[in-house]
Amino acid sequence: MTARIGVVTFPGSLDDRDTQRAIRLAGAEPVALWHKDKNLHQVDAVVLPGGFSYGDYLRAGAISRFSPVMGTVIEQAKSGLPVLGICNGFQILTEAHLLPGAMLGNNHLHFICRDQKLRVENADTSWTGDYTAGQEIHIPLKNMDGRYVADEHTLDELEAEGRVVFRYLDMNPNGSLRDIAGITNAAGNVVGLMPHPEHAVEPLIGSGRTDGLPFFTSILKKLVNA
């Protein structure tokens, strides 16, 4: 039976089709989910894709957090449903309190788009099993509100519990505290990151690398072996 991975489209989502393609390349079945639909249609995992949902009004992700689909995503994520938030999806996960902290505007106040070097800090989540801890990868990054912040207690807790999943290397592109590029919840089923793995899954398009494909093969193996 083919694993079914839902991809939510919000008004202003830009990378939902790219994410569906990445899922298909990994060998799973992508399922389009509409933000107004509470029904997740029996998917095995969910991806909240990148973009500028609702134009990033109020705060990035602040309105999408109240979309009908998110009520179901929040409920099922707390029960173990694997959820990946990419860029705007990461912002939505913090607004929904599925992940701690918040995303603020880049410290240099400019939109940034570059191929970003990362270090994999945690290869034990539902979405990172095909990586190895300490592995260095390159993933495209594009954001305006990518600065991850949290209070010192939360940051210390994330570090102590191994919940920092990715860290920026060579340069910090947006001022994120402790060079954090991605984090997970305590259970390891919810992961958020600012870079875009769906743009690094084929050698002939995007970044020309396939460093992002293990996100999608990881969750497929996790679901198949569950």
Side-chain angles (χ1 to χ4, degrees):
M1 183 175 178
T2 304
R4 291 162 45 86
I5 302 177
V7 180
V8 179
T9 297
F10 300 93
S13 293
L14 300 179
D15 299 299
D16 43 348
R17 296 294 182 89
D18 303 73
T19 303
Q20 290 175 27
R21 180 174 176 78
I23 290 167
R24 192 176 295 111
L25 286 171
E29 177 188 351
V31 178
L33 300 176
W34 184 236
H35 71 111
K36 287 189 176 181
D37 189 356
K38 294 182 179 180
N39 190 342
L40 298 185
H41 302 283
Q42 292 79 50
V43 296
D44 303 299
V46 168
V47 180
L48 307 180
F52 301 91
S53 60
Y54 290 94
D56 280 351
Y57 288 111
L58 299 182
R59 290 181 311 278
I63 300 177
S64 292
R65 176 262 179 271
F66 293 102
S67 290
V69 72
M70 285 305 298
T72 310
V73 169
I74 292 168
E75 178 184 357
Q76 294 197 21
K78 291 179 178 178
S79 298
L81 178 75
V83 178
L84 175 66
I86 302 171
C87 195
N88 190 231
F90 186 11
Q91 295 160 344
I92 295 170
L93 289 176
T94 62
E95 291 289 338
H97 304 297
L98 285 175
L99 292 175
M103 310 302 302
L104 301 181
N106 297 342
N107 60 343
H108 45 71
L109 303 181
H110 295 287
F111 181 86
I112 189 168
C113 182
R114 69 187 308 272
D115 197 16
Q116 178 65 48
K117 188 176 183 181
L118 306 174
R119 182 171 61 241
V120 180
E121 303 282 25
N122 183 340
D124 294 325
T125 78
S126 297
W127 299 91
T128 57
D130 272 358
Y131 293 108
T132 58
Q135 183 177 350
E136 296 182 2
I137 60 176
H138 289 79
I139 302 289
L141 176 76
K142 50 176 185 173
N143 64 71
M144 182 69 189
D145 299 299
R147 177 163 53 110
Y148 180 75
V149 299
D151 61 75
E152 286 298 310
H153 173 76
T154 298
L155 292 170
D156 289 343
E157 188 175 70
L158 289 172
E159 301 275 16
E161 296 179 1
R163 291 168 55 194
V164 176
V165 182
F166 298 96
R167 214 179 298 268
Y168 297 117
L169 291 182
D170 293 347
M171 69 165 290
N172 186 323
N174 44 38
S176 289
L177 297 181
R178 304 194 190 182
D179 299 326
I180 291 174
I183 61 173
T184 182
N185 66 342
N189 63 302
V190 179
V191 170
L193 79 160
M194 287 310 297
H196 286 259
E198 77 280 8
H199 294 323
V201 295
E202 295 181 277
L204 296 180
I205 62 173
S207 69
R209 301 174 182 269
T210 58
D211 290 6
L213 190 59
F215 276 88
F216 306 101
T217 57
S218 293
I219 187 59
L220 178 58
K221 291 179 181 178
K222 175 76 173 180
L223 294 171
V224 169
N225 295 325

